[in-house]
């Protein structure tokens, strides 16, 4: 019996028991689509992060205080540096010719108030370069003053949400508000760009880095963002950064330099792992479908005993009878997988077109894995019933 | 005489365990069948005639004894090899037709060729030609439930003949049919026998059985009479025959 005939024969047998076949088909279809839909959520998150990163431009380096290295003892924690990074360190980095922008950042929370309205928010102390490095623009007013690194000018730029919360309907431009112990004048409003790597820029105030040093009473930088003139300068630039910091920090380059690629690949690894485990959980539904295949196959074997006996008397061997039953589950699995694929891809498509903000994407590997898995399940769970069919005694079956 | 025999059975035994009592379905059977013979196998229920038919059709294995089919020893063959011989040499016709209800008349007849891996186009041609020969040319696309008993059995015969077997094994072929359909079916079987096919009919129907040139009678697992045997037949048959 050749393969095409096998498929035809199985198809005819399945078509005869329409309800039963539909049930199995549904079970497999739902199994496949639950794997695809659940992994599409994870994959969507991964793509979202990737997109966020690429919005930052690929020429960015991040300098963190403290060196992360593996030694004999417990791994050191983030930022356990004996020496802080300072604004002066950041200024020194400007001497490196391959660096185009240097944005030192001091970050902290403080309460911001306008008359009776008050909020606790994140204050970002930085300079003008920050706007270039992170692609920020002001919707109204000006950017930070040129001398943000030298003078503690009492001015601030507000995120859209914060401005609305504090000033309601009146224009905040030129108004004074209180941050911590000091008074600041609003000189600009950030253009809404949504979230950026989890920081809600809408709900934030940006002040000159020197003002932040005064506000938080500490010269320690949270980090320095650097933008390179060209991507391929990265290795060279890292060496130079370490050299300059070592000069300034008693011969020790106690900093960590992270490139955007490194962060992105770390994120990617984590999210792919999480997505794969979600997919594995969803695959349990495929095993449930497998058990249904087994039950239905057993019923089918006992109902088709006469036919099996007949096939044997017509010259079908036990092996061929087994093949007939296994292929019949594979046929129904193909249809079920196809139904699952169509269902989940169209669902994702519908969601993408109607709610473009929800990041969803079915990863190619989960598509392959789900189909592969459903066929493995079909093979495994139809094996026992198929063996039972192969063992049918033709004499007894034909007598009945 | 064994040289030109297509079926050569000697000392064949088969015992079934029925409850506590062993049932000797076949006892020391010896049977030679030549190409083109027309045999009937008669006997009461439980006499072992169906068992013998199944043995000849390679559906069952004897406990002991030899069985040569077309000169090939069958005792040591694997299940796969036996299936192959069955496909090549043997055609079955059943009392209750055993057509697959979801398949059309044509598809039912095609089935043995499909199992043998014959291409769709060629097997369709062969099957429709044969069905037309049997007067079913207008019923090719009909399902078994749309056909009468006589038509069903003709489809069954077509299915048995499609592989051009050397021997046709018919188990009560007219048992489920009325008089005229039964006659029709008998005529067809005999027509193909005249064209050279070996025909073995198992039946309760004495009228049908008597039409065969060679008549076998079985009682309690023993062939008690065989009109085809030469006069100087070996003794054990007569002894056993008279004792039963």
């Amino acid at each position: 019996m050749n393969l095409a005939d096998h498929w035809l024969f199985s198809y005819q047998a399945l078509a005869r028991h329409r309800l039963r076949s539909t049930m199995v088909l549904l079970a497999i279809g739902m199994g496949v689509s639950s794997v695809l839909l659940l992994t599409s959520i994870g994959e969507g998150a991964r793509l979202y992060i990737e997109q966020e990163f690429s919005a930052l431009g690929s020429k960015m380096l991040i300098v963190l205080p403290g060196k992360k290295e593996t030694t004999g003892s417990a791994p050191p924690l983030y930022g356990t540096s004996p020496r802080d990074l300072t604004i002066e360190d950041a200024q020194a980095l400007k001497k490196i010719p391959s660096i185009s922008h240097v944005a030192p950042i001091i970050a902290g929370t403080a309460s911001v108030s306008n008359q009776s309205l008050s909020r606790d928010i994140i204050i970002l102390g930085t300079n003008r370069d920050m706007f270039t490095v992170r692609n920020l623009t002001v919707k109204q007013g000006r950017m930070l003053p040129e001398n943000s690194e030298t003078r503690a000018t009492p001015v601030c730029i507000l995120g859209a949400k914060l401005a609305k919360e504090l000033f309601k309907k009146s224009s905040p431009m030129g108004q004074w508000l209180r941050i911590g112990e000091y008074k600041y004048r609003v000189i600009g409003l950030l253009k809404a760009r949504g979230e950026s790597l989890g920081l809600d820029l809408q709900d934030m105030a940006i002040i000159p880095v020197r003002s932040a040093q005064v506000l938080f009473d500490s010269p320690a930088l949270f980090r320095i963002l650097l933008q390179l003139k060209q991507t391929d300068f990265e290795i060279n630039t890292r060496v130079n950064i370490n050299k300059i910091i070592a000069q300034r920090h008693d011969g020790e380059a106690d900093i960590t330099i992270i490139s955007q690629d490194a962060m992105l690949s770390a994120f990617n690894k984590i999210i792919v792992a999480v997505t794969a485990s979600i997919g594995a959980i969803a695959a349990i539904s495929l095993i449930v479908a497998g058990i249904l295949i087994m039950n239905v196959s057993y019923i089918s074997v006992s109902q088709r005993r006469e036919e099996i006996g007949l096939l044997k008397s017509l010259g079908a061997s036990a092996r061929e009878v087994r093949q007939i039953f296994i292929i019949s589950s594979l046929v129904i699995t193909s249809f079920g997988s196809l139904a699952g694929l169509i269902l989940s891809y169209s669902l994702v498509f519908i969601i993408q077109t109607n709610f473009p903000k929800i990041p969803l994407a079915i990863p190619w590997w989960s598509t392959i894995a789900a189909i592969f898995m459903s066929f493995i399940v079909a093979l495994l769970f139809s094996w026992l019933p198929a063996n039972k069919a192969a063992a049918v005694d033709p004499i007894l079956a034909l007598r009945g | 005489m064994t040289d030109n025999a297509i079926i050569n059975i000697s000392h064949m035994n088969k015992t079934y365990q029925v409850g506590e009592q062993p049932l000797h379905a076949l006892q020391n059977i010896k049977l030679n069948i030549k190409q083109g013979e027309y045999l009937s196998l008669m006997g009461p229920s439980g006499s072992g005639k169906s068992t013998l038919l199944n043995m000849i059709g390679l559906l069952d294995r004897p406990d002991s004894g030899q069985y040569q089919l077309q000169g090939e020893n069958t005792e040591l063959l694997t299940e796969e090899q036996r299936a192959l011989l069955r496909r090549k040499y043997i055609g079955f016709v059943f009392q209750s037709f055993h057509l697959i209800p979801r398949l059309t008349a044509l598809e039912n007849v095609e089935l043995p060729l499909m199992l043998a891996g014959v291409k769709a186009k060629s097997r369709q041609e062969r099957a429709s030609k044969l069905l037309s020969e049997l007067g079913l040319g207008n019923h090719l696309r009909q399902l078994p439930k749309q056909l009468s008993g006589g038509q069903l059995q003709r489809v069954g015969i077509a299915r048995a003949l499609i592989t051009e077997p050397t021997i046709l094994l018919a188990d009560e072929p007219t048992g489920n049919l009325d008089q005229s359909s039964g006659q029709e079916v008998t005529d067809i079987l005999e027509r193909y026998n005249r064209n050279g096919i070996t025909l073995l009919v198992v039946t309760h129907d004495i009228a049908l059985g008597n039409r065969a040139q060679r008549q076998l009678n079985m009682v309690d697992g023993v062939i008690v009479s065989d009109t085809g045997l030469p006069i100087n037949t070996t003794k054990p048959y007569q002894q056993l025959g008279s004792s039963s």
Side-chain angles (χ1 to χ4, degrees), chain A residues 1 5 9 12-13 16 304 306-307 310-320 394-395 398, chain B residues 54 59-60 80 83 86-87 92 94 98 100-103 107 111-112 114-115 117-118 123 159:
Chain A
M1 205 160 170
D5 288 335
F9 191 72
Q12 286 168 327
R16 171 144 173 101
R304 287 168 73 185
E306 185 190 319
E307 182 188 325
L310 172 74
L311 290 173
K312 283 190 160 182
S313 77
L314 296 181
S317 62
R319 205 188 63 205
E320 282 170 317
I395 303 162
L398 289 172
Chain B
N54 289 330
L59 287 178
D60 205 349
E80 305 289 311
R86 198 149 62 215
R87 181 184 293 173
F92 280 99
F94 305 97
H98 288 308
I100 297 181
R102 63 173 180 276
L103 301 181
E107 286 166 337
L111 197 55
M114 187 165 162
L115 287 168
V118 176
R123 66 175 189 242
R159 183 182 59 196

Side-chain angles (χ1 to χ4, degrees), chain A residues 11-19 21, chain B residues 101-102 145:
Chain A
Y11 175 76
Q12 286 168 327
L14 293 168
R16 171 144 173 101
H17 297 284
R18 200 160 294 147
L19 181 70
S21 304
Chain B
R102 63 173 180 276
K145 64 181 175 204

Side-chain angles (χ1 to χ4, degrees), chain B residues 107-222:
Chain B
E107 286 166 337
N108 267 294
V109 176
E110 276 181 57
L111 197 55
L113 296 179
M114 187 165 162
L115 287 168
V118 176
K119 287 233 163 59
K121 194 159 178 271
S122 127
R123 66 175 189 242
Q124 263 169 29
E125 276 170 16
R126 279 167 68 178
S128 49
K129 185 162 166 275
L130 185 55
L131 279 168
S132 304
E133 252 178 61
L134 296 180
L136 290 168
N138 296 327
H139 303 277
L140 299 182
R141 306 280 167 205
Q142 279 175 343
L143 293 173
K145 64 181 175 204
Q146 297 166 302
L147 298 173
S148 71
Q151 289 170 329
L152 290 173
Q153 193 56 297
R154 277 185 278 162
V155 175
I157 292 170
R159 183 182 59 196
L161 290 171
I162 192 78
T163 50
E164 294 166 2
T166 40
I167 182 159
L168 205 55
L169 303 177
D171 192 359
E172 299 280 6
T174 58
N176 280 9
L177 301 177
D178 59 51
Q179 187 81 39
S180 69
S181 313
Q183 188 57 50
E184 217 172 25
V185 164
T186 311
D187 288 345
I188 290 169
L189 290 174
E190 290 176 356
R191 191 168 90 215
Y192 279 90
N193 171 247
R194 282 195 298 278
N195 291 344
I197 201 166
T198 313
L199 176 62
L200 174 58
V201 179
V202 171
T203 185
H204 277 109
D205 181 352
I206 295 167
L208 176 61
N210 284 341
R211 297 176 65 92
Q213 281 114 38
R214 181 176 171 193
Q215 294 155 22
L216 307 175
N217 233 307
M218 274 187 92
V219 176
D220 291 341
V222 177

Side-chain angles (χ1 to χ4, degrees), chain A residues 69-283:
Chain A
E69 54 192 350
T70 311
T71 53
S73 61
L77 291 166
Y78 230 67
T80 52
S81 169
R83 278 171 296 265
D84 294 324
L85 268 178
T86 61
I87 298 171
E88 286 70 29
D89 288 333
Q91 283 170 329
L93 294 179
K94 284 185 181 169
K95 282 183 285 185
I96 300 172
S98 56
I99 293 177
S100 62
H101 295 85
V102 177
I105 298 174
I106 294 179
T109 45
S111 95
V112 181
S113 55
N114 171 37
Q115 289 153 11
S116 63
L117 298 169
S118 167
R119 283 173 67 80
D120 278 338
I121 49 136
I122 295 174
I123 308 294
L124 219 56
T126 185
N127 64 0
R128 227 175 223 208
D129 282 4
M130 176 72 172
F131 290 78
T132 316
V133 177
R134 300 280 314 245
N135 270 336
L136 301 178
T137 38
V138 283
K139 181 171 66 176
Q140 224 181 322
R142 308 178 266 126
M143 292 193 279
L144 290 176
E146 222 44 281
N147 57 3
S148 293
E149 288 162 43
T150 46
R151 280 201 58 190
T153 324
V155 292
C156 68
I157 295 168
L158 300 183
K161 185 179 168 195
L162 178 65
K164 204 176 165 194
E165 296 273 333
L166 290 179
F167 293 93
K168 300 296 172 195
K169 279 173 187 163
S170 62
S171 166
M173 292 297 295
Q175 301 290 317
W176 288 84
L177 49 72
R178 182 173 282 279
I179 303 178
E181 309 283 307
Y182 302 91
K183 284 194 132 188
Y184 291 79
R185 204 152 85 102
V186 180
I187 59 163
L189 290 178
L190 272 184
K191 193 173 178 183
R193 213 201 89 198
E195 291 199 9
S196 177
L197 290 182
L199 281 182
D200 189 359
L201 291 169
Q202 304 302 316
D203 202 11
M204 206 176 268
I206 299 177
I207 59 175
V209 65
R210 200 54 85 175
S211 311
Q213 186 187 338
V214 175
L215 174 68
F216 297 116
D217 194 20
S218 159
L221 293 184
F222 171 59
R223 57 185 55 175
I224 303 171
L225 301 186
L226 301 173
Q227 185 162 319
L228 304 182
K229 284 177 180 154
Q230 264 177 284
T231 328
D232 43 345
F233 291 155
E234 188 186 318
I235 297 168
N236 212 354
T237 312
R238 278 171 180 261
V239 173
N240 283 331
I241 294 170
N242 278 322
K243 204 156 73 186
I244 288 173
I245 298 295
Q247 273 170 16
R248 301 178 53 84
H249 286 193
D250 306 328
E252 203 185 332
D254 51 355
I255 51 164
T256 303
I257 305 170
I258 304 172
S259 72
Q260 188 184 288
D261 290 345
M263 278 174 73
L264 182 56
S265 75
F267 265 117
N268 260 343
K269 269 184 202 158
I270 294 168
I271 292 181
V272 167
V274 170
T275 309
S277 27
I278 296 171
I281 294 167

Side-chain angles (χ1 to χ4, degrees), chain A residues 293-306:
Chain A
I293 290 178
M294 184 153 77
N295 285 332
V296 166
S297 300
Y298 269 126
I299 294 170
S300 167
V301 170
S302 50
Q303 284 186 345
R304 287 168 73 185
R305 268 175 62 82
E306 185 190 319

